[in-house]
């Protein structure tokens, strides 16, 4: 009898136990730490993330800097739908001491994709539309910040509309800075797969060699489809052609949005959705991009080139820079970087901006 009563008592105690405290959201706590790290408390600074209608579409914009008097850098992200805004916390804070940094999620990308990914917008996904967006964005930024001209800085895919915008409206910009510059897409693809094959052979990776050889000749004369490009880039990126000495960037770069105070769960989901929304619509134009015939450039041009970049290989960029006629040209090699220069060598990025680009600013 006593044993039964004891069992009943234990059951009652278990039923009466207070509810457990909900588990702590460690990701939210981590984002709060990052948010505080990014806070710009000084009275001369600027820190704002907002929505602005640009060329018929509501774009999301980030403006950050410790002193409004500093030169402004307008950064055009890659992708075509890989916004820098969710990962800028990884590298940008020191740059904000010397420059006002402006980023925007492009048409069909990230937070801007969430604003409008209607059929009407889908029908506008062309390179020239991104050029027009960029010009309108530059006009908006210089008006908002009271600047006559900006430094135009672009990464990867973003170098395509940026090159066109600099040529069309040189009056808007002090200088152009290309990172992971696209010069000739088909030549880039050829160099990239040659690197992947050479590395696979050097490492004795028979499976990789078979996969790559099955794709040859590449790019060849067959259409450059998304599937062919993805397959061709698998092994070059595995061997560090995206980020030097890394075989993956999913956690390091693409996972950055998980800690970004600017991106919530729906924004993060929009990253993949935006990529699917834009890439197929731009692909036919993208694979035809070739700036190798451009012999004159109207503003100073600086190229930040990753020595190990086999996503947009740097040698065609160095060759183009050596022959172009521009008011100023300079190539800066980043020996420890591949395609992701500001993320891989943020210190050298800052030093290079101060030593090479800052002197080109003339108000």
């Amino acid at each position: 009898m006593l044993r039964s009563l004891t069992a009943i008592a234990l059951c009652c105690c278990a039923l009466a136990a207070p509810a457990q405290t909900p588990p702590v959201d460690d990701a939210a706590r981590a984002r709060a730490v990052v948010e505080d790290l990014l806070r710009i408390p000084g009275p001369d600074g600027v820190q704002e993330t907002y929505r602005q209608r640009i060329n018929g579409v509501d774009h999301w914009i980030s403006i950050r800097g410790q002193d409004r008097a500093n030169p402004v850098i307008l950064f055009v992200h890659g992708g075509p739908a890989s916004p820098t805004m969710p990962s800028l916390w990884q590298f940008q804070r020191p740059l904000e001491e010397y420059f006002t940094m402006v980023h925007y999620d492009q048409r069909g990308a990230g937070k801007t994709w969430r604003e409008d990914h209607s059929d009407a917008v889908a029908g506008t996904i062309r390179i020239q539309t991104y050029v027009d967006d960029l010009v309108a964005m530059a006009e908006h930024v210089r008006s908002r910040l009271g600047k006559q001209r900006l430094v135009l800085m672009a990464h990867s895919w973003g170098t395509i509309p940026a090159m066109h915008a600099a040529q069309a409206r040189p009056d808007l910009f002090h200088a152009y800075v290309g990172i992971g510059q696209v010069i000739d897409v088909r030549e880039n693809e050829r160099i990239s797969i040659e690197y992947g094959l050479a590395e696979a052979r050097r490492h004795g990776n028979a499976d990789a060699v078979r996969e790559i050889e099955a794709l040859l000749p590449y790019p060849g004369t067959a259409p450059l489809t998304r599937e062919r490009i993805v397959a061709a880039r698998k092994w070059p990126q595995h061997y560090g052609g995206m980020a030097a000495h890394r075989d993956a960037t999913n956690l390091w770069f693409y996972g950055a949005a998980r800690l970004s105070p600017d991106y919530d769960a729906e924004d993060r989901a929009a990253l993949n959705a935006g990529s699917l929304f834009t890439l197929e619509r731009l692909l036919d134009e993208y694979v035809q991009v070739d700036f190798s015939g451009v012999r004159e450039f109207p503003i100073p041009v600086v190229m930040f080139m990753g020595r190990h970049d086999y996503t947009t290989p740097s040698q065609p960029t160095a060759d183009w820079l050596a022959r172009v006629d521009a008011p100023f040209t300079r190539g800066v090699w980043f020996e420890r970087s591949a395609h992701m220069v500001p993320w891989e060598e943020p210190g050298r990025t800052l030093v290079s901006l101060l030593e090479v680009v800052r002197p080109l600013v003339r108000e």
Side-chain angles (χ1 to χ4, degrees), residues 307-359:
R307 183 67 71 180
H308 307 280
D309 189 350
Y310 288 97
T311 299
T312 55
S314 296
Q315 193 56 53
T317 300
D319 294 343
W320 178 84
L321 197 61
R323 62 178 181 264
V324 72
D325 182 12
F328 175 90
T329 60
R330 180 72 59 85
V332 182
W333 285 98
F334 288 72
E335 301 296 336
R336 296 179 176 87
S337 293
H339 190 59
M340 309 299 292
V341 165
W343 293 265
E344 296 179 85
E345 293 185 72
R348 181 158 172 74
T349 297
L350 172 59
V351 169
S352 300
L353 286 171
L354 292 175
E355 291 182 348
V356 181
V357 179
R358 180 63 179 83

Side-chain angles (χ1 to χ4, degrees), residues 6-69:
T6 302
I8 293 171
L10 288 173
C11 290
C12 290
C13 287
L15 291 171
Q20 292 185 345
T21 303
V24 174
D25 184 350
D26 284 335
R29 294 176 66 180
R31 282 191 292 274
V33 172
V34 174
E35 185 173 19
D36 189 62
L37 174 70
L38 293 176
R39 188 165 57 89
I40 298 175
D44 299 324
V46 54
Q47 177 182 355
E48 51 188 11
T49 303
Y50 63 97
R51 181 179 56 206
Q52 177 69 36
R53 196 156 188 84
I54 299 289
N55 198 25
V57 170
D58 286 344
H59 286 67
W60 276 89
I61 303 169
S62 166
I63 301 180
R64 300 180 47 84
Q66 287 194 176
D67 189 342
R68 290 174 178 269

Side-chain angles (χ1 to χ4, degrees), residues 239-361:
Y239 288 116
M242 174 68 83
H245 313 299
R246 292 177 181 265
D247 62 1
T249 56
N250 287 339
L251 287 178
W252 168 66
F253 174 69
Y254 293 105
R258 297 176 187 175
L259 293 180
S260 171
D262 291 323
Y263 260 58
D264 61 24
E266 292 186 7
D267 293 330
R268 293 192 293 274
L271 293 174
N272 284 336
S275 180
L276 294 172
F277 183 75
T278 58
L279 185 57
E280 290 292 348
R281 293 178 171 90
L282 283 167
L283 189 58
D284 287 346
E285 279 191 286
Y286 170 77
V287 299
Q288 301 302 322
V289 169
D290 184 359
F291 291 113
S292 61
V294 175
R295 293 292 187 262
E296 297 181 352
F297 206 72
I299 60 175
V301 56
V302 179
M303 296 296 186
F304 289 180
M305 299 176 291
R307 183 67 71 180
H308 307 280
D309 189 350
Y310 288 97
T311 299
T312 55
S314 296
Q315 193 56 53
T317 300
D319 294 343
W320 178 84
L321 197 61
R323 62 178 181 264
V324 72
D325 182 12
F328 175 90
T329 60
R330 180 72 59 85
V332 182
W333 285 98
F334 288 72
E335 301 296 336
R336 296 179 176 87
S337 293
H339 190 59
M340 309 299 292
V341 165
W343 293 265
E344 296 179 85
E345 293 185 72
R348 181 158 172 74
T349 297
L350 172 59
V351 169
S352 300
L353 286 171
L354 292 175
E355 291 182 348
V356 181
V357 179
R358 180 63 179 83
L360 300 173
V361 174

